[in-house]
Amino acid sequence: MPVEQEIKTRHHLRPRSRGGMDGLPNEASIEDKSLHLPYHTLFNNLRPNEVILLLIFSLETICPYMERKEPNTRLTRRGFTQRMKSWDTLFGENETWDIFRRVNKNQELAIRKIIENFVKTEQDRRLVYAVLVRGADRLRTNFFSEIKDLLYSLKK
């Protein structure tokens, strides 16, 4: 594998702009490199626990499907269309994100995708678990248990 291609699939666990260093142990490989750029387009340099915090408490402010329903949203602006494409790449295209918010299905899907693809270290798992505990009253009990099991399975 060419070095250039390998670098494109590396993800800084602690962003360089937030004091993270280059190289191991601060870099992890992202299995699906098509998810790396969309993650940063949507969430800039937020860490997975911070993204999950937003998904639990402020989904309507970061989901472009919900945002486009707000007044004065210019759907043709380059930044907005890039965010829509990034959201679709990460979480799947779904015109009913705002409707499903009420039953939490898409919120759960988004949280699961972030954990499966971007939680790479024990520290990430602890930080994500703390966020999940904090937002537990906003999540279905069964989902909380499933995600806790998923976090523990990532240790292996």
Side-chain angles (χ1 to χ4, degrees), residues 132-146:
L132 291 170
V133 167
R134 188 170 160 198
D137 62 326
R138 293 175 174 247
L139 302 171
R140 285 185 309 109
T141 304
N142 290 349
F143 178 70
F144 182 79
S145 297
E146 291 167 22

Side-chain angles (χ1 to χ4, degrees), residues 30-69:
I30 303 297
E31 287 85 33
D32 187 347
K33 70 179 181 181
S34 69
L35 300 179
H36 192 216
L37 181 61
Y39 178 94
H40 288 293
T41 298
L42 288 167
F43 307 119
N44 196 3
N45 66 352
L46 294 181
R47 296 173 77 178
N49 61 299
E50 296 164 328
V51 172
I52 291 170
L53 189 68
L54 287 172
L55 291 170
I56 292 172
F57 290 99
S58 298
L59 180 64
E60 59 282 350
T61 64
I62 60 169
C63 175
Y65 281 95
M66 295 179 188
E67 188 178 30
R68 75 178 180 180
K69 294 180 184 243

Side-chain angles (χ1 to χ4, degrees), residues 53-153:
L53 189 68
L54 287 172
L55 291 170
I56 292 172
F57 290 99
S58 298
L59 180 64
E60 59 282 350
T61 64
I62 60 169
C63 175
Y65 281 95
M66 295 179 188
E67 188 178 30
R68 75 178 180 180
K69 294 180 184 243
E70 294 177 12
N72 303 316
T73 300
R74 295 183 74 189
L75 303 179
T76 56
R77 300 232 13 154
R78 186 172 59 101
F80 187 79
T81 57
Q82 286 175 329
R83 289 184 64 241
M84 288 290 284
K85 287 177 186 174
S86 294
W87 191 272
D88 292 345
T89 300
L90 275 178
F91 305 124
E93 189 173 344
N94 187 339
E95 291 293 326
T96 57
W97 271 95
D98 53 332
I99 295 169
F100 279 110
R101 171 68 172 105
R102 293 183 200 122
V103 293
N104 294 336
K105 290 293 182 199
N106 284 339
Q107 179 189 44
E108 293 174 4
L109 170 103
I111 291 169
R112 185 180 304 279
K113 290 265 192 174
I114 293 296
I115 290 171
E116 290 171 346
N117 291 292
F118 296 98
V119 173
K120 301 292 183 182
T121 67
E122 180 61 32
Q123 181 183 14
D124 281 343
R125 282 188 284 279
R126 283 195 311 269
L127 292 169
V128 166
Y129 184 76
V131 166
L132 291 170
V133 167
R134 188 170 160 198
D137 62 326
R138 293 175 174 247
L139 302 171
R140 285 185 309 109
T141 304
N142 290 349
F143 178 70
F144 182 79
S145 297
E146 291 167 22
I147 290 301
K148 189 168 71 171
D149 292 344
L150 175 62
L151 283 171
Y152 286 118
S153 74

Side-chain angles (χ1 to χ4, degrees), residues 9-44:
T9 63
R10 304 297 288 178
H11 178 75
H12 286 88
L13 302 170
R14 165 168 263 144
R16 289 180 297 174
S17 63
R18 295 172 64 183
M21 61 184 186
D22 280 326
L24 297 175
N26 191 46
E27 290 182 355
S29 188
I30 303 297
E31 287 85 33
D32 187 347
K33 70 179 181 181
S34 69
L35 300 179
H36 192 216
L37 181 61
Y39 178 94
H40 288 293
T41 298
L42 288 167
F43 307 119
N44 196 3

